[in-house]
Amino acid sequence: MLLKFLVFAGQGARSLGRVVPGAAVANPKESNVAFRRQAHLLNPAKPRPKPESLLNRQWHAAQILAAMNWRLKKLAAWSALSMAVLGNLALADVKNFDGNACPAGYAAVTPVEATHNRLGYCSYLPPKALARLAGNASMSGSAGRCTVRRNDRRSTGTVMCKAASSPTGNGLDVVLGSTCPGNSVAATYSDAAADPAAVCAAMGRWDIARLVNQGQQASISGSGYGCKVAASDTRSLASSVCKPVQNTAYVEINDSDLANVGCFRKGNGDPVFQVAMIFAANIDADAAGNAVVHLNEQVGHLLNDDIQKVRALQAQGVKVVITLLNNHQDAGWSCFADDASADAFADTVKRFLDHYGLDGVDIDDEYDACVHHYPDSLVRVGTALRSALGSKIISKALWNDAAHFAPVHLGQKLGDQLSYGLEMTYDAPGSCMDRVQAYLAQGIERGKLGVGASTVYTSASNAATLNSCIADNKLGGGMMVFNVQNKSQDFVQAVWPGITVAPNCLH
């Protein structure tokens, strides 16, 4: 329609200055006045031409068309902006509250969000209002031209808030500030890269949130920027991605019941252990020498005949992971010579986890009888597993094996692929940091490292000291306890005072 209008207008411009047969002839002075008024009204910023130039009516018509086209373009741009604003605001429940702090369940709108959605957020304010934003920023109402100030010391009286983000499906959460609160630690670059869409869904459209990457700051951006995960970002950021410190219970299935993990509860009713480890299935070699997953009688019974115990834990929010332990054969975690064998085993593990509905795999690289060991085997198979498993848990039992974290494969190290590494020198003296120092030196983030205690080899008092050390040093892998049994109540309550045990639960 616009094209037809412009063609018609252009034809009209070319007919100006000549007589069309059968048409009435206008008074030239009236025509000049009419064109002059039209040009001035459509583009008032354009200076009127000098009187002698009015004879060039084609020039005049071109100015009219240009002015109309400019206004149409501006109208289209404002329409697009309005639609974008409405789309953005659909992501946030915005409210103004008295005071300078948002109530529970809400977080202050950031200046980045307010700047990118200026008209939309401004519409929530009375014309003469001045509202506090995150980080001592402010936003004025329409009478103040919806101005966003990054640092405003004036008293505002109200704060503009949005519904707080909820944790993502992988346990990550986005919070305001540069530090993670309470029993949580900064999420890593690889945490977010494993499932950026889930993290992005918990962010504001124009948020940019802090991550950590080998001791440096990284970031992930909101959907307005394409949910991009950046390995390095030196900007000052208003939000952080955090993850809870996890506690892991290993259960020796040969003599203990997996269901006992769910009996231990915090004061708020949440489980003490966030991960239950089925210990253990094995890596065997088949007739062709390929690595395969083998289940002994007890683990096979759990997964094939008693799977409801797994589902009951998962219903409580506990992740159920299976340990794969070498089995004195020519197959194992350090025995993959090439990508083809590593990829094939990763596919085997994926199909196994999918079949039983498990939440991840734990690497225990002990007790193989391989003819050849390959220094890059673990990073090779770790890379293949991460590609196959996506955001599922990939953890590793750590014991005097920091050298495995040095080799690089396809630009990645083993530590980049792991969700967690849990150090298991149960009777080692010293602090928790002494036990993980070698892994920190290899560039593994604190948020991925945890320390283990044994209900057999570690005293309850030493385990409690380790747990305090873990919290003080923000080790995100938390406390690992091996082996949780029906007689572990005193040990667990010594490590976490105040927890309860569900009645008639341990057996």
Side-chain angles (χ1 to χ4, degrees):
M1 189 65 170
L2 177 60
L3 179 60
K4 290 181 178 179
F5 169 77
L6 293 176
V7 170
F8 173 79
Q11 290 172 342
R14 285 193 296 272
S15 68
L16 294 173
R18 60 187 174 89
V19 177
V20 179
V25 179
N27 186 311
K29 290 185 179 180
E30 292 178 357
S31 298
N32 288 341
V33 171
F35 272 111
R36 186 163 61 251
R37 286 175 177 169
Q38 281 183 300
H40 180 63
L41 289 173
L42 289 171
N43 192 356
K46 193 77 175 178
R48 295 187 183 187
K50 296 179 181 180
E52 59 268 21
S53 66
L54 293 177
L55 296 177
N56 192 341
R57 293 187 175 88
Q58 290 185 349
W59 180 91
H60 234 311
Q63 295 303 306
I64 294 172
L65 293 174
M68 293 177 68
N69 191 39
W70 174 79
R71 288 183 179 273
L72 287 170
K73 286 182 178 180
K74 192 166 184 178
L75 178 62
W78 276 104
S79 176
L81 177 60
S82 299
M83 293 301 293
V85 167
L86 291 174
N88 292 342
L89 290 178
L91 300 176
D93 178 15
V94 179
K95 293 183 179 180
N96 292 305
F97 294 95
D98 292 336
N100 290 310
C102 296
Y106 284 83
V109 172
T110 68
V112 173
E113 289 176 310
T115 298
H116 284 88
N117 301 319
R118 192 162 62 92
L119 295 180
Y121 282 114
C122 190
S123 68
Y124 285 84
L125 295 173
K128 296 183 179 181
L130 181 65
R132 179 65 59 205
L133 302 177
N136 208 37
S138 72
M139 184 174 199
S140 58
S142 58
R145 299 187 179 183
C146 304
T147 302
V148 177
R149 291 179 172 85
R150 294 297 183 121
N151 189 12
D152 192 338
R153 299 181 180 276
R154 292 177 293 173
S155 176
T156 58
T158 63
V159 57
M160 182 181 288
C161 305
K162 62 182 180 180
S165 63
S166 57
T168 68
N170 55 14
L172 304 183
D173 195 10
V174 183
V175 303
L176 288 172
S178 59
T179 58
C180 294
N183 195 36
S184 64
V185 296
T188 67
Y189 168 80
S190 54
D191 288 333
D195 194 359
V199 183
C200 196
M203 301 173 64
R205 182 177 176 86
W206 300 105
D207 275 349
I208 303 175
R210 176 180 173 270
L211 301 166
V212 292
N213 185 24
Q214 299 184 6
Q216 305 298 316
Q217 180 175 280
S219 70
I220 180 170
S221 58
S223 60
Y225 300 111
C227 300
K228 294 179 181 178
V229 184
S232 178
D233 192 330
T234 59
R235 294 173 292 180
S236 177
L237 302 177
S239 303
S240 298
V241 184
C242 302
K243 63 180 180 180
V245 174
Q246 72 167 25
N247 299 315
T248 300
Y250 276 73
V251 179
E252 173 59 82
I253 301 300
N254 288 351
D255 57 22
S256 299
D257 193 332
L258 184 72
N260 288 330
V261 174
C263 298
F264 301 97
R265 302 295 180 86
K266 300 177 183 178
N268 62 1
D270 290 343
V272 171
F273 297 102
Q274 289 73 49
V275 178
M277 205 73 74
I278 298 172
F279 190 85
N282 296 109
I283 300 177
D284 283 6
D286 66 10
N290 300 312
V292 295
V293 176
H294 169 74
L295 303 180
N296 67 16
E297 181 181 352
Q298 291 81 5
V299 175
H301 173 73
L302 170 68
L303 294 179
N304 293 311
D305 305 315
D306 219 2
I307 193 67
Q308 71 271 11
K309 291 181 178 178
V310 172
R311 300 292 176 258
L313 286 173
Q314 291 173 327
Q316 296 177 35
V318 178
K319 302 289 187 183
V320 181
V321 175
I322 190 157
T323 297
L324 294 184
L325 177 67
N326 303 330
N327 199 24
H328 307 283
Q329 297 185 24
D330 189 15
W333 289 109
S334 290
C335 311
F336 294 101
D338 51 42
D339 286 350
S341 59
D343 290 346
F345 184 66
D347 182 65
T348 297
V349 173
K350 181 183 186 306
R351 286 186 282 110
F352 177 85
L353 298 182
D354 289 346
H355 178 74
Y356 289 109
L358 301 178
D359 298 300
V361 62
D362 179 53
I363 298 169
D364 195 335
D365 191 23
E366 303 175 274
Y367 312 124
D368 74 63
C370 293
V371 176
H372 299 289
H373 293 90
Y374 302 94
D376 62 350
S377 176
L378 271 168
V379 65
R380 190 183 298 276
V381 72
T383 301
L385 282 170
R386 180 52 70 201
S387 176
L389 302 184
S391 61
K392 284 184 179 290
I393 292 173
I394 304 174
S395 60
K396 187 181 187 306
L398 306 176
W399 183 73
N400 195 30
D401 57 356
H404 287 302
F405 292 85
V408 176
H409 181 65
L410 300 178
Q412 299 285 301
K413 293 184 176 182
L414 176 60
D416 298 325
Q417 313 302 344
L418 294 182
S419 306
Y420 297 100
L422 305 172
E423 206 284 330
M424 59 178 187
T425 310
Y426 303 129
D427 57 352
S431 75
C432 64
M433 296 305 293
D434 294 334
R435 290 170 56 174
V436 299
Q437 196 59 51
Y439 303 99
L440 290 170
Q442 289 292 346
I444 304 175
E445 304 292 346
R446 289 189 184 209
K448 290 187 174 186
L449 291 171
V451 175
S454 166
T455 56
V456 176
Y457 298 109
T458 311
S459 70
S461 60
N462 285 345
T465 300
L466 284 174
N467 190 46
S468 296
C469 179
I470 289 167
D472 292 342
N473 289 280
K474 292 283 188 178
L475 297 183
M479 172 67 82
M480 176 264 278
V481 177
F482 185 99
N483 166 31
V484 174
Q485 303 172 300
N486 59 359
K487 56 185 178 183
S488 298
Q489 179 174 348
D490 290 344
F491 185 94
V492 175
Q493 287 182 320
V495 177
W496 294 280
I499 70 165
T500 60
V501 178
N504 305 313
C505 185
L506 293 172
H507 52 277

